[in-house]
Amino acid sequence: MQCNEVFKKFVVEHAGDDVNTLILNASRYKDVDVKPAAEQIAARRVIREKLPEWHDNPDLFFPSVTAAEQCSSELTAHYKQRFVNEEDTVYDLTGGLGVDTYYFAQKAKQVVYIERNKKYCEAASHNFQILQANNIKVINADSQIFINHPYPSHEGKFNYTLNTKNYTLYLDPSRRNAANKRLYALEDCEPDLSKIWSDLRKIADKIIVKLSPMLDISHIVEKLPGISEIHIVSVRNDCKEVIAIAENRENISVKIFCINYLSDKSEQTFTYFWNEEKTAEIRCTSEIKKYLYEPNASILKAGAYKSVARQLNLEKLHPGSHLYTSDEAMRDFPGRIFQVIEMYPFHNQACKELTAAVAKANITVRNFPLSAEALKKRLKIRDGGDIYLFATTLQDIRKVLIRCVKA
């Protein structure tokens, strides 16, 4: 692992350069191994926005671009801290870049980082020392050994100390194959949780699993029995992580937590029980009232279409539209809130009236036959401005355009 002063200076000075050009011109730089330096530059670009604390520290080393791509952001790593207590020992069985390990260590008593890739372990040991995270133990080993031999009698084979009272496992399965292709199904990731899940449940009181945001929630509930909670975390309305938690307790139903971090890092939150969504009864309407509501990405990912309407006493425009309305403003709604200006039926004359009235707008389509781009071309409306235009279908099957402003 290269991380001397000459190497670090090169990475800083060439941070804005094209990495492929650097590699092609490697012979010009006699004192630096350019290929790993270029990889540092590329990895730092990946984490610039999501991991600024690490990006701004020139002494940290990143073992691969892939590790940087798959690691948690500062926001989501901070969020996961709430799952551990001050007396816990956390075993990170899929260490990777070590971001979650580091943030767990800020709260837990001890964290054990386990990673089979020696290069990653060397980088993690270096970084944890730079970050002064002294309560982290780094072990270069296959976590499968830990799963098969989790007890102190095997300490000679697997060097660790087990705290059976406050004992938590954390896994973030790799979602890339040998060809660096993105994966998301449980059985395609490594380790395959569907195969080792029963073994994990036997050796830990609490298991925390980070999963692909592409996974269907029903698939998680089916494949990982005993899950007590699922947390869906979005950042600025972009779904980033799905986190499943299993604990040794009797579960009546899985509790779903929908979290969306806004630009100011405040949280929109909504919780419901998985079984209740299936049986919830809601009202659908063809009447657009004073306010229109668009759920955030976590609500849509969770499929909490009925639960959010029932809890907040909203009416849904159509079972498949996922837009809601009310006469009273529900300021706690987990998403965007709009004040309705006017509704237009979707036909030629109304479209002409809308085009004459609105020069530009932000267009969203929900359960509508045209894409946003196709609708924009038909209406001859430019993007942007303070007007928001929703194209959707009402309960009575009418296709409409709803003109709004942010409430």
Side-chain angles (χ1 to χ4, degrees), residues 294-326:
E294 181 190 31
N296 64 39
S298 289
I299 298 293
L300 295 173
K301 176 63 188 178
Y305 310 127
K306 294 189 287 185
S307 294
V308 71
R310 182 179 59 81
Q311 287 191 33
L312 297 177
N313 195 30
L314 303 175
E315 292 181 285
K316 206 167 188 287
L317 300 191
H318 182 279
S321 293
H322 310 323
L323 292 170
Y324 306 83
T325 192
S326 71

Side-chain angles (χ1 to χ4, degrees), residues 15-50:
D17 292 3
D18 180 78
V19 292
N20 293 322
T21 302
L22 282 175
I23 294 171
L24 288 173
N25 297 324
S27 60
R28 294 171 51 188
Y29 310 103
K30 304 298 184 182
D31 299 330
V32 176
D33 189 345
V34 174
K35 189 172 182 180
E39 187 165 44
Q40 289 301 295
I41 293 168
R44 285 181 173 275
R45 287 175 185 168
V46 171
I47 67 164
R48 181 164 43 206
E49 298 296 329
K50 69 174 180 177

Side-chain angles (χ1 to χ4, degrees), residues 246-262:
E247 297 181 88
N248 286 336
R249 67 186 189 198
E250 190 70 26
N251 302 321
I252 298 174
S253 180
V254 180
K255 191 172 186 179
I256 311 293
F257 295 76
C258 301
I259 310 297
N260 181 45
Y261 283 102
L262 302 176

Side-chain angles (χ1 to χ4, degrees), residues 361-365 371-372 375-376 379 381 383 387-391:
N362 304 279
I363 296 177
T364 300
V365 298
S371 67
L375 181 60
K376 183 176 68 174
L379 295 175
I381 291 177
D383 283 327
I387 299 297
Y388 291 80
L389 192 64
F390 286 86

